[in-house]
Amino acid sequence: MVCGGYATGAAVGWGSTELALVMGDFGLSAAALAAAVSCFLYARGRRRAFRPAWYLFAFSSFMAATGNAVWGWYEVVLRRAVPSPSAADLCFLLFAPPAIVGLLVLAKKPVTRAGWVCLGLDSWLIGGSLLTLSWSLALAHTAYVPGESVARAALSLAYPLLDIVLVSMVLALHFRRSHINRSAVHTAIAALALTVLCDALFTSPLLREHYSSGQLLDAGWFAGSLLLAYAPWGVRRHVDPGPAAARARHPHSRPLAGSLAALTPYLAAAVCTLSILYNVVEGRSVDRVVVLTGCMVVLALVVRQGIMLLDNIALTHELAQKENHFRSLVQGSSDVIMIAAPTGILRYVSPAAAGVYGREAEELIGSELASLIHPEDLGGVVHEVRRFLAAPPSEEPTTRIECRFRSGRGDWLNVESTVNRHQGGLIFNSRDVTERVRLQAQLRHNAEHDPLTDLPNRALFTERVRGALSGRRATDIGTAVLFIDLDGFKAVNDRLGHQAGDELLVQAARRLHESVRAGDTAARLGGDEFAALILGDGNRDRADRECRVAEIADRLRVTLSQPYRVDGAAHEVRVAASIGVAFAEPGISAGDLLRNADLAMYRAKAAGKDRVELYAPQMQAEVVRRTELAARLRTALHDGEFALLHQPVVDLSTGRIAAVAAQARWRSAQGILFTPAEFLRVAEDGERTAELGRWLLEEAVEQAAERAGIGHRAPVTVRLSARRLLDRSLPLGSVESLLTRHGLPSGSLIVELADSDPRDPRVSFDELEQRLAALRRLGVKIALDGFGSGHAAINALRRLPVDILKLDRGLVEGIVESARLRKITSGLLRIAGDLGMQSVADGVDMPEQVLALRSMGCTHGQGMAFSGPLDEYRLRRALVRDEFPLPGAVAVSAGNRPPARSHDETPVPPT
């Protein structure tokens, strides 16, 4: 807008001669000063590109501003003609050299000596051709004006010659411009070109004779100065996309600038020829300056062409070397390089195809790429290629495609390709990744399957269950999960070794896999736990689904319970299967369904094993109750919630108390009294059970010592398991120190041994025998609990040092009704008598049982027929009395009578 306003004013003469002089002189000076200040301020900024060039442009513009100011001083202030030469001429002459050097700084620097020589020769070719043309047209007349002084003639020639040099630099810079700050450089070149054009018009004789300040020619100088002032700052609004992006936007454009640069020498020679022809046509004699300049231009052209020829020879040799180098790389590469045309036809295939694909490169060339790709992968490949071609190259220069490729051997190879654009087509850099894909598949399989049985593991099974509960099967209530545990597997491991156990697990997994349907899933969750996912068939009848799945579960139980041949078929072992079944319900999650099946499986084990249990909601409530009970049990001992009761052991011949059996009771903070059968069931961790056993022993010994101190010397019986006796938490020294600390007389402690099966791998019978012998040396008597319950008690009696035999409760309960049981019990009591041992019958609750046992030779009894468990106060009262009434001669009847109860017993919930 400013330049347009200035041009309009100059075109109409500014309205007055005085204003025209002011605008033609001081207006141009102000515009040049603005360019000088703008370039100077830009050059002072941090990290400016080509800072020296902008300093030179600032100095050049300052000289132009000073020259115009001097010119205006003469014309406007002094109101007289400008002398020639004057200080303004000096300033105007100093405008061109800094601008020329600045343009050289902006030019892209050659990298070789030949490049520098060619740059100089190109500048001379341009300048020489312009000089010959200008000399022929105008400069010869200026140089040979008669009567003109040498200074004026030199000054007249200096302006056009400097402009010719400046034009030469502008053209040379155009062909060798740098890509840095391209917008600013282009604007600066345009500003200087406009200034040179106005200088050329000014120096022509036709215009110079009629020129005065304020004319339209000044608008060109004014616009050139403002363009130069704008040049360094305009780059902020015009971001240079860079050469790579420019080439990407115009992939098929020809390098026009490079072509013009190659034609520069020939254009220069053509200009010289035209200038000579002009003189000949006009009938003038050829000027010596024209001839000399033309000869120098031709000489420079010949030298330049020689240099370019040598340079081209070197480049051709280098190109051949690089071509051989890259050909060797392509042919020796293990990757296959293919070039596909836009139509999908293969135009080039590297020789590596023979080794990778098993097909010769010549066989592949000309074939369609789509015909070589697996049909299942073709759609994905086409989609990715279209997406890649539609994306901007600057944002996505390459992409990666993986597909199956037909080999010459007839199989399919997994191929990974890096894809690049190439003249509208594509370049594929492909490699065979079949082994990698197989390895990844194997690793994925190993991560999702059990390494021993190759069944799906817990992670994959959970994922399958989650899939069965989603999608179209989300509402199928027939879907069920079976949790399977092998009962007795640990005994096989302990007796025959882990190798035999692994063989059993492999056979069980095979049976399970063969027993489920094709769409169902069998899995090993860990250890001897397996699972099965039974998919529903869409049946909405709950009774039918339960019947169907229960039938499948029972068939699995029978199949898994069949004998197994392990250890090289040297042994035949049997295990049972406890199976829990849980059905899918609308909205249930995979985790909840697996938990329900797990609860049902534990219910099957607790109910006797080798059975199938269906999940019921009350199972979860029971688990919650047991969890809460176990949490309260952890702090019960420390909070003093346990109490010790004693049940008298009565001599069946006299009715006197021969001993007392210590029993623990837990009276919780909520006021509930739990028996051992209730609270020991939730004390699953060994540490809690051991702590309870230590408390029971210490409390029983302490109270027995207190009773002995007041004259009640009845021994106390403490029931301990064989594993607890061998536990390091109860060493022998602790029992001895306990007896010594409380001063309990010898023979006042009876250890009642439980769980004494010699086949139990958790119990070392040799260590148990040594431990019991050491206790007997301390005066502790040993009682064998559960005598008559099986082979285990008889075997323990054969090996262990025992003083007292305690008949199993199961024998006592049916002794009145069963004659066969009476004969068995009588035989066992006779064995005890022959070995000189005392016998104690546990669970004597009726007078008839007392009579029957006494008649068989049983020496002692314990049960509700005499007394229930007593607290310390009632126990001492019973010990003071020291006699319980024995039943008289009462006929033994087969009927069940209510037990006779003592008035001194403490009522407790039945165990």
Side-chain angles (χ1 to χ4, degrees):
M1 291 178 64
V2 174
C3 293
Y6 190 96
T8 302
V12 299
W14 295 104
S16 66
T17 305
E18 290 78 9
L19 181 59
L21 292 176
V22 171
M23 296 303 297
D25 296 332
F26 292 110
L28 293 181
S29 178
L33 184 62
V37 173
S38 174
C39 293
F40 181 78
L41 292 178
Y42 179 80
R44 290 194 61 183
R46 293 183 178 180
R47 298 181 181 178
R48 299 299 189 187
F50 303 118
R51 178 180 294 179
W54 295 108
Y55 276 129
L56 290 170
F57 290 152
F59 180 74
S60 176
S61 298
F62 180 73
M63 288 294 99
T66 305
N68 282 301
V70 172
W71 198 283
W73 174 262
Y74 282 103
E75 286 189 337
V76 177
V77 179
L78 300 181
R79 295 182 180 275
R80 64 186 178 87
V82 181
S84 180
S86 66
D89 294 320
L90 178 62
C91 292
F92 289 143
L93 290 176
L94 290 177
F95 166 80
I100 294 171
V101 177
L103 289 174
L104 288 175
V105 173
L106 289 178
K108 185 167 60 176
K109 306 298 185 298
V111 295
T112 62
R113 292 181 180 178
W116 283 104
V117 173
C118 288
L119 176 63
L121 291 175
D122 288 344
S123 301
W124 165 244
L125 287 172
I126 297 172
S129 62
L130 293 177
L131 178 60
T132 57
L133 183 61
S134 302
W135 190 272
S136 298
L137 295 177
L139 295 184
H141 300 287
T142 303
Y144 300 129
V145 174
E148 190 171 11
S149 64
V150 176
R152 287 184 57 82
L155 183 62
S156 300
L157 292 175
Y159 282 113
L161 291 178
L162 287 176
D163 286 340
I164 290 173
V165 175
L166 190 57
V167 169
S168 302
M169 289 298 102
V170 168
L171 293 176
L173 177 61
H174 175 73
F175 297 134
R176 295 179 177 269
R177 59 190 181 277
S178 173
H179 295 294
I180 303 176
N181 280 5
R182 180 180 296 181
S183 177
V185 173
H186 285 182
T187 308
I189 291 175
L192 294 175
L194 183 59
T195 302
V196 170
L197 177 62
C198 294
D199 287 346
L201 294 174
F202 173 74
T203 56
S204 65
L206 181 62
L207 291 181
R208 188 166 185 179
E209 295 176 359
H210 304 286
Y211 171 78
S212 62
S213 296
Q215 291 183 349
L216 190 59
L217 184 62
D218 292 345
W221 282 314
F222 186 84
S225 296
L226 289 189
L227 272 179
L228 189 60
Y230 167 80
W233 308 102
V235 69
R236 294 187 176 182
R237 286 177 284 174
H238 302 283
V239 179
D240 183 13
R247 287 194 300 269
R249 284 200 306 267
H250 306 287
H252 307 295
S253 62
R254 299 184 60 186
L256 182 61
S259 301
L260 292 176
L263 293 176
T264 299
Y266 306 103
L267 294 176
V271 169
C272 290
T273 304
L274 288 175
S275 63
I276 296 174
L277 290 176
Y278 175 77
N279 286 329
V280 173
V281 171
E282 291 291 327
R284 302 175 186 175
S285 60
V286 180
D287 194 279
R288 288 176 296 175
V289 175
V290 174
V291 174
L292 181 61
T293 306
C295 292
M296 293 183 66
V297 168
V298 172
L299 179 62
L301 178 61
V302 172
V303 173
R304 187 184 187 283
Q305 290 302 101
I307 294 175
M308 293 303 297
L309 179 61
L310 295 177
D311 195 25
N312 287 337
I313 294 174
L315 288 176
T316 303
H317 181 66
E318 182 180 357
L319 181 61
Q321 287 184 335
K322 290 184 177 180
E323 184 178 353
N324 292 332
H325 175 70
F326 284 112
R327 183 181 294 110
S328 300
L329 289 178
V330 170
Q331 293 180 351
S333 174
S334 60
D335 291 355
V336 180
I337 300 175
M338 301 183 296
I339 299 178
T343 58
I345 303 298
L346 292 177
R347 297 303 185 194
Y348 173 79
V349 179
S350 66
V356 176
Y357 298 149
R359 306 178 69 174
E360 295 297 332
E362 293 77 8
E363 178 186 351
L364 295 175
I365 294 175
S367 60
E368 289 190 6
L369 183 62
S371 65
L372 306 175
I373 299 175
H374 196 284
E376 295 179 1
D377 301 339
L378 183 58
V381 172
V382 172
H383 174 76
E384 176 61 20
V385 168
R386 289 176 177 174
R387 185 203 62 79
F388 172 65
L389 294 176
S394 59
E395 297 179 3
E396 191 173 4
T398 63
T399 187
R400 181 166 295 181
I401 295 176
E402 187 169 331
C403 63
R404 285 169 289 180
F405 198 90
R406 186 191 302 276
S407 72
R409 297 175 292 272
D411 57 345
W412 295 97
L413 302 177
N414 293 92
V415 175
E416 181 186 65
S417 302
T418 302
V419 185
N420 296 271
R421 298 173 178 84
H422 174 69
Q423 297 181 356
L426 295 171
I427 297 179
F428 292 84
N429 194 340
S430 305
R431 62 205 63 88
D432 183 9
V433 293
T434 303
E435 290 301 322
R436 189 192 72 186
V437 171
R438 290 175 181 171
L439 179 60
Q440 289 176 344
Q442 184 63 42
L443 291 175
R444 183 166 56 251
H445 179 85
N446 293 342
E448 296 177 342
H449 289 76
D450 175 58
L452 178 64
T453 64
D454 204 38
L455 290 180
N457 59 13
R458 183 182 293 272
L460 181 57
F461 183 75
T462 303
E463 187 64 29
R464 297 270 180 90
V465 173
R466 188 176 293 111
L469 297 179
S470 60
R472 62 184 181 87
R473 293 186 177 273
T475 58
D476 191 348
I477 62 175
T479 300
V481 169
L482 279 60
F483 259 50
I484 306 164
D485 185 84
L486 301 182
D487 304 321
F489 170 75
K490 190 176 186 308
V492 175
N493 249 356
D494 296 333
R495 185 161 55 91
L496 301 179
H498 289 280
Q499 179 65 31
D502 289 346
E503 292 180 21
L504 190 150
L505 289 175
V506 171
Q507 295 182 36
R510 187 183 303 115
R511 294 182 185 181
L512 178 61
H513 179 69
E514 294 173 353
S515 299
V516 298
R517 300 172 304 179
D520 298 335
T521 300
R524 182 191 178 205
L525 305 184
D528 60 342
E529 288 189 352
F530 295 84
L533 171 64
I534 308 299
L535 298 178
D537 54 6
N539 190 353
R540 310 295 298 178
D541 192 331
R542 293 180 179 271
D544 286 349
R545 73 161 189 181
E546 291 184 4
C547 181
R548 177 179 61 87
V549 175
E551 182 180 349
I552 295 174
D554 196 62
R555 186 173 67 249
L556 285 176
R557 181 190 63 80
V558 174
T559 301
L560 295 175
S561 300
Q562 297 298 319
Y564 295 86
R565 303 292 299 183
V566 297
D567 199 11
H571 297 87
E572 181 178 273
V573 296
R574 289 178 178 269
V575 293
S578 296
I579 302 178
V581 181
F583 291 94
E585 300 292 342
I588 193 171
S589 66
D592 291 341
L593 183 59
L594 296 176
R595 180 205 62 199
N596 294 346
D598 197 19
L599 291 176
M601 185 266 291
Y602 278 107
R603 170 59 66 88
K605 293 178 71 69
K609 303 180 181 180
D610 193 18
R611 55 187 293 130
V612 177
E613 284 285 343
L614 302 183
Y615 171 78
Q618 57 266 27
M619 293 182 184
Q620 178 64 21
E622 182 181 351
V623 170
V624 172
R625 175 183 173 275
R626 291 183 60 186
T627 303
E628 295 175 350
L629 190 62
R632 295 203 303 266
L633 181 62
R634 292 187 183 96
T635 60
L637 274 175
H638 302 285
D639 295 344
E641 296 181 2
F642 276 90
L644 191 65
L645 303 181
H646 295 82
Q647 189 172 25
V649 178
V650 179
D651 189 327
L652 296 183
S653 60
T654 63
R656 301 189 63 182
I657 299 176
V660 292
Q663 300 178 5
R665 293 293 186 272
W666 175 27
R667 191 180 300 276
S668 67
Q670 289 76 20
I672 304 174
L673 187 67
F674 296 100
T675 64
E678 293 175 301
F679 62 75
L680 288 180
R681 190 166 54 244
V682 301
E684 295 176 353
D685 55 299
E687 181 182 355
R688 199 66 52 202
T689 306
E691 187 178 359
L692 182 60
R694 288 193 298 269
W695 175 86
L696 177 63
L697 179 60
E698 293 178 3
E699 193 73 13
V701 170
E702 182 180 358
Q703 292 188 17
E706 292 179 359
R707 291 193 298 271
I710 60 175
H712 302 305
R713 296 185 177 274
V716 61
T717 300
V718 179
R719 190 174 189 271
L720 294 174
S721 66
R723 282 182 295 141
R724 190 59 55 208
L725 276 174
L726 296 177
D727 195 353
R728 294 182 179 180
S729 63
L730 188 66
L732 180 62
S734 64
V735 178
E736 184 178 8
S737 62
L738 183 64
L739 298 175
T740 304
R741 183 169 70 250
H742 294 288
L744 190 65
S746 178
S748 298
L749 176 62
I750 301 173
V751 172
E752 187 178 302
L753 184 63
D755 302 333
S756 56
D757 188 353
R759 296 171 298 176
D760 190 345
R762 298 170 296 181
V763 177
S764 172
F765 245 57
D766 294 334
E767 293 183 13
L768 181 61
E769 184 178 2
Q770 295 175 7
R771 184 63 189 274
L772 294 179
L775 287 175
R776 290 187 72 189
R777 287 194 294 270
L778 296 177
V780 177
K781 293 183 179 182
I782 307 300
L784 183 61
D785 185 29
F787 186 67
S789 61
H791 174 73
I794 299 297
N795 205 14
L797 179 63
R798 181 175 62 87
R799 295 190 55 182
L800 301 179
V802 178
D803 301 300
I804 303 170
L805 293 180
K806 194 168 185 179
L807 292 179
D808 186 72
R809 178 182 290 270
L811 294 175
V812 178
E813 288 177 349
I815 198 172
V816 177
E817 295 84 1
S818 174
R820 185 182 183 88
L821 200 56
R822 285 199 299 271
K823 291 180 180 181
I824 295 174
T825 305
S826 177
L828 295 175
L829 291 173
R830 189 162 51 251
I831 293 174
D834 293 343
L835 294 176
M837 299 180 183
Q838 295 180 1
S839 56
V840 178
D842 189 16
V844 182
D845 295 334
M846 296 185 297
E848 293 86 346
Q849 294 172 340
V850 176
L851 293 175
L853 289 168
R854 186 169 56 187
S855 66
M856 296 176 190
C858 183
T859 60
H860 298 81
Q862 173 186 342
M864 298 300 293
F866 307 107
S867 172
L870 306 175
D871 58 20
E872 187 66 20
Y873 173 74
R874 290 186 173 89
L875 175 62
R876 293 189 180 185
R877 287 180 56 189
L879 290 173
V880 170
R881 189 171 64 250
D882 196 23
E883 184 177 358
F884 286 95
L886 295 175
V890 180
V892 177
S893 172
N896 291 326
R897 299 182 181 179
R901 294 183 179 273
S902 168
H903 295 290
D904 296 329
E905 73 178 48
T906 302
V908 295
T911 60

